[in-house]
Amino acid sequence: MDPLQGTCMNCPVCNKCIVCGYDWSRLFERIRISARYPAGATVIVEGEPLSGLIVDCTGAVKITITTATGKSVVLKVCRPGEVIGMADLLSDRISSIRCTTLFDSELSLIPWRDFEQAISGHADALKAVASYVALCVKSERERMREFVCPSVRTRINSFLRSLSPSIVTHTHPSTTVFVPFPYTNEQIAEIVGCTRESVSRLMSALEKTGTIERHGTLLKLAADFERRLGPN
């Protein structure tokens, strides 16, 4: 873990993150603890106490849970601007998830007591926290639906749809869009819960139809990307 001297003031995901999206950047600049983590680093351990919120500044964080049978299941992949640990901190402050960086990532820790002091007395801040938790619950409910979906194609399509507009890096005049896509087929297989061979076959099929194109660590989405994928 390498400490950083970055700033929230020029963050590219500002106004998309609950921490910096409410004109509190200067306040959180003083209380956040930022560091860079290598790929594969464990950030939060399931069952252990949490000390604060984790903000994904760059990179991606894989969130997993352990089932009653001991199987590890990927709940979601957090991307820049997302906050990790909010629901657990608002309940018993014991982590119900395990978080591991998928790639080299920059993360910020906001100590819980400092966060409480920062939002106390601010009605808009409290409302934002409540809305964020509700959004997380909704997202997890949608993910649960995917777990029981027998169609691998549907699960892969949902993963591709989850590429947030907030990470779009370039828009071509023809309205095709390029998004960061450093995932390997093996990583996608773990995220959606299928075999690497299934991912390879279905991604190749999408490339043949021009729905997607891989360009190194970028993924080109066709102008009619949503229509080509079809309904979930």
PDB file of all heavy atoms in Angstrom, residues 204-219:
ATOM      1  N   SER A 204     -17.085 -13.470 -28.147  1.00  0.00           N
ATOM      2  CA  SER A 204     -16.705 -13.593 -29.564  1.00  0.00           C
ATOM      3  C   SER A 204     -17.916 -13.392 -30.466  1.00  0.00           C
ATOM      4  O   SER A 204     -17.828 -12.752 -31.525  1.00  0.00           O
ATOM      5  CB  SER A 204     -16.084 -14.967 -29.828  1.00  0.00           C
ATOM      6  OG  SER A 204     -14.857 -15.106 -29.143  1.00  0.00           O
ATOM      7  N   ALA A 205     -19.072 -13.916 -30.043  1.00  0.00           N
ATOM      8  CA  ALA A 205     -20.299 -13.758 -30.825  1.00  0.00           C
ATOM      9  C   ALA A 205     -20.692 -12.283 -30.912  1.00  0.00           C
ATOM     10  O   ALA A 205     -21.114 -11.798 -31.973  1.00  0.00           O
ATOM     11  CB  ALA A 205     -21.431 -14.566 -30.202  1.00  0.00           C
ATOM     12  N   LEU A 206     -20.527 -11.545 -29.807  1.00  0.00           N
ATOM     13  CA  LEU A 206     -20.855 -10.118 -29.797  1.00  0.00           C
ATOM     14  C   LEU A 206     -19.888  -9.334 -30.675  1.00  0.00           C
ATOM     15  O   LEU A 206     -20.270  -8.364 -31.339  1.00  0.00           O
ATOM     16  CB  LEU A 206     -20.818  -9.578 -28.369  1.00  0.00           C
ATOM     17  CG  LEU A 206     -21.943 -10.048 -27.435  1.00  0.00           C
ATOM     18  CD1 LEU A 206     -21.679  -9.593 -26.006  1.00  0.00           C
ATOM     19  CD2 LEU A 206     -23.299  -9.530 -27.915  1.00  0.00           C
ATOM     20  N   GLU A 207     -18.627  -9.763 -30.712  1.00  0.00           N
ATOM     21  CA  GLU A 207     -17.645  -9.092 -31.566  1.00  0.00           C
ATOM     22  C   GLU A 207     -17.941  -9.348 -33.040  1.00  0.00           C
ATOM     23  O   GLU A 207     -17.795  -8.445 -33.882  1.00  0.00           O
ATOM     24  CB  GLU A 207     -16.235  -9.572 -31.204  1.00  0.00           C
ATOM     25  CG  GLU A 207     -15.751  -9.068 -29.856  1.00  0.00           C
ATOM     26  CD  GLU A 207     -14.301  -9.435 -29.589  1.00  0.00           C
ATOM     27  OE1 GLU A 207     -13.404  -8.698 -30.053  1.00  0.00           O
ATOM     28  OE2 GLU A 207     -14.074 -10.454 -28.923  1.00  0.00           O
ATOM     29  N   LYS A 208     -18.368 -10.548 -33.372  1.00  0.00           N
ATOM     30  CA  LYS A 208     -18.667 -10.877 -34.771  1.00  0.00           C
ATOM     31  C   LYS A 208     -19.826 -10.056 -35.312  1.00  0.00           C
ATOM     32  O   LYS A 208     -19.869  -9.737 -36.498  1.00  0.00           O
ATOM     33  CB  LYS A 208     -18.975 -12.373 -34.891  1.00  0.00           C
ATOM     34  CG  LYS A 208     -17.749 -13.270 -34.760  1.00  0.00           C
ATOM     35  CD  LYS A 208     -18.119 -14.739 -34.875  1.00  0.00           C
ATOM     36  CE  LYS A 208     -16.896 -15.635 -34.729  1.00  0.00           C
ATOM     37  NZ  LYS A 208     -17.237 -17.083 -34.781  1.00  0.00           N
ATOM     38  N   THR A 209     -20.772  -9.714 -34.439  1.00  0.00           N
ATOM     39  CA  THR A 209     -21.927  -8.920 -34.882  1.00  0.00           C
ATOM     40  C   THR A 209     -21.654  -7.420 -34.820  1.00  0.00           C
ATOM     41  O   THR A 209     -22.506  -6.614 -35.189  1.00  0.00           O
ATOM     42  CB  THR A 209     -23.161  -9.229 -34.020  1.00  0.00           C
ATOM     43  OG1 THR A 209     -22.879  -8.910 -32.644  1.00  0.00           O
ATOM     44  CG2 THR A 209     -23.551 -10.692 -34.142  1.00  0.00           C
ATOM     45  N   GLY A 210     -20.460  -7.041 -34.339  1.00  0.00           N
ATOM     46  CA  GLY A 210     -20.124  -5.622 -34.264  1.00  0.00           C
ATOM     47  C   GLY A 210     -20.717  -4.919 -33.056  1.00  0.00           C
ATOM     48  O   GLY A 210     -20.642  -3.690 -32.960  1.00  0.00           O
ATOM     49  N   THR A 211     -21.293  -5.675 -32.117  1.00  0.00           N
ATOM     50  CA  THR A 211     -21.877  -5.066 -30.922  1.00  0.00           C
ATOM     51  C   THR A 211     -20.790  -4.476 -30.041  1.00  0.00           C
ATOM     52  O   THR A 211     -20.947  -3.399 -29.464  1.00  0.00           O
ATOM     53  CB  THR A 211     -22.678  -6.113 -30.117  1.00  0.00           C
ATOM     54  OG1 THR A 211     -23.657  -6.698 -30.977  1.00  0.00           O
ATOM     55  CG2 THR A 211     -23.377  -5.470 -28.927  1.00  0.00           C
ATOM     56  N   ILE A 212     -19.672  -5.182 -29.959  1.00  0.00           N
ATOM     57  CA  ILE A 212     -18.515  -4.705 -29.192  1.00  0.00           C
ATOM     58  C   ILE A 212     -17.252  -4.961 -29.989  1.00  0.00           C
ATOM     59  O   ILE A 212     -17.229  -5.803 -30.887  1.00  0.00           O
ATOM     60  CB  ILE A 212     -18.393  -5.396 -27.818  1.00  0.00           C
ATOM     61  CG1 ILE A 212     -18.196  -6.912 -28.006  1.00  0.00           C
ATOM     62  CG2 ILE A 212     -19.606  -5.101 -26.934  1.00  0.00           C
ATOM     63  CD1 ILE A 212     -17.880  -7.653 -26.713  1.00  0.00           C
ATOM     64  N   GLU A 213     -16.208  -4.211 -29.657  1.00  0.00           N
ATOM     65  CA  GLU A 213     -14.886  -4.443 -30.229  1.00  0.00           C
ATOM     66  C   GLU A 213     -13.860  -4.188 -29.138  1.00  0.00           C
ATOM     67  O   GLU A 213     -13.924  -3.163 -28.451  1.00  0.00           O
ATOM     68  CB  GLU A 213     -14.606  -3.499 -31.407  1.00  0.00           C
ATOM     69  CG  GLU A 213     -15.382  -3.788 -32.665  1.00  0.00           C
ATOM     70  CD  GLU A 213     -15.014  -2.819 -33.778  1.00  0.00           C
ATOM     71  OE1 GLU A 213     -13.906  -2.249 -33.722  1.00  0.00           O
ATOM     72  OE2 GLU A 213     -15.845  -2.606 -34.676  1.00  0.00           O
ATOM     73  N   ARG A 214     -12.936  -5.101 -28.967  1.00  0.00           N
ATOM     74  CA  ARG A 214     -11.883  -4.912 -27.972  1.00  0.00           C
ATOM     75  C   ARG A 214     -10.704  -4.204 -28.620  1.00  0.00           C
ATOM     76  O   ARG A 214     -10.232  -4.597 -29.672  1.00  0.00           O
ATOM     77  CB  ARG A 214     -11.438  -6.250 -27.395  1.00  0.00           C
ATOM     78  CG  ARG A 214     -12.517  -6.978 -26.608  1.00  0.00           C
ATOM     79  CD  ARG A 214     -11.908  -8.026 -25.713  1.00  0.00           C
ATOM     80  NE  ARG A 214     -12.897  -8.983 -25.254  1.00  0.00           N
ATOM     81  CZ  ARG A 214     -12.728  -9.764 -24.192  1.00  0.00           C
ATOM     82  NH1 ARG A 214     -11.609  -9.697 -23.514  1.00  0.00           N
ATOM     83  NH2 ARG A 214     -13.660 -10.614 -23.830  1.00  0.00           N
ATOM     84  N   HIS A 215     -10.244  -3.144 -27.943  1.00  0.00           N
ATOM     85  CA  HIS A 215      -9.071  -2.399 -28.391  1.00  0.00           C
ATOM     86  C   HIS A 215      -8.130  -2.271 -27.199  1.00  0.00           C
ATOM     87  O   HIS A 215      -8.161  -1.273 -26.472  1.00  0.00           O
ATOM     88  CB  HIS A 215      -9.470  -1.014 -28.905  1.00  0.00           C
ATOM     89  CG  HIS A 215     -10.329  -1.037 -30.131  1.00  0.00           C
ATOM     90  ND1 HIS A 215      -9.809  -0.966 -31.408  1.00  0.00           N
ATOM     91  CD2 HIS A 215     -11.681  -1.164 -30.273  1.00  0.00           C
ATOM     92  CE1 HIS A 215     -10.807  -1.019 -32.291  1.00  0.00           C
ATOM     93  NE2 HIS A 215     -11.952  -1.138 -31.623  1.00  0.00           N
ATOM     94  N   GLY A 216      -7.311  -3.297 -26.976  1.00  0.00           N
ATOM     95  CA  GLY A 216      -6.436  -3.290 -25.815  1.00  0.00           C
ATOM     96  C   GLY A 216      -7.260  -3.318 -24.534  1.00  0.00           C
ATOM     97  O   GLY A 216      -8.046  -4.237 -24.298  1.00  0.00           O
ATOM     98  N   THR A 217      -7.104  -2.279 -23.713  1.00  0.00           N
ATOM     99  CA  THR A 217      -7.873  -2.193 -22.467  1.00  0.00           C
ATOM    100  C   THR A 217      -9.111  -1.304 -22.627  1.00  0.00           C
ATOM    101  O   THR A 217      -9.670  -0.830 -21.642  1.00  0.00           O
ATOM    102  CB  THR A 217      -6.999  -1.639 -21.328  1.00  0.00           C
ATOM    103  OG1 THR A 217      -6.481  -0.364 -21.709  1.00  0.00           O
ATOM    104  CG2 THR A 217      -5.862  -2.596 -21.015  1.00  0.00           C
ATOM    105  N   LEU A 218      -9.522  -1.081 -23.868  1.00  0.00           N
ATOM    106  CA  LEU A 218     -10.753  -0.336 -24.137  1.00  0.00           C
ATOM    107  C   LEU A 218     -11.756  -1.243 -24.831  1.00  0.00           C
ATOM    108  O   LEU A 218     -11.385  -2.154 -25.566  1.00  0.00           O
ATOM    109  CB  LEU A 218     -10.485   0.884 -25.016  1.00  0.00           C
ATOM    110  CG  LEU A 218      -9.709   2.049 -24.404  1.00  0.00           C
ATOM    111  CD1 LEU A 218      -9.484   3.132 -25.456  1.00  0.00           C
ATOM    112  CD2 LEU A 218     -10.440   2.629 -23.203  1.00  0.00           C
ATOM    113  N   LEU A 219     -13.029  -0.980 -24.584  1.00  0.00           N
ATOM    114  CA  LEU A 219     -14.093  -1.715 -25.247  1.00  0.00           C
ATOM    115  C   LEU A 219     -14.940  -0.717 -26.022  1.00  0.00           C
ATOM    116  O   LEU A 219     -15.433   0.264 -25.472  1.00  0.00           O
ATOM    117  CB  LEU A 219     -14.970  -2.445 -24.218  1.00  0.00           C
ATOM    118  CG  LEU A 219     -16.007  -3.426 -24.799  1.00  0.00           C
ATOM    119  CD1 LEU A 219     -15.306  -4.649 -25.384  1.00  0.00           C
ATOM    120  CD2 LEU A 219     -16.994  -3.863 -23.717  1.00  0.00           C
TER     121      LEU A 219
END
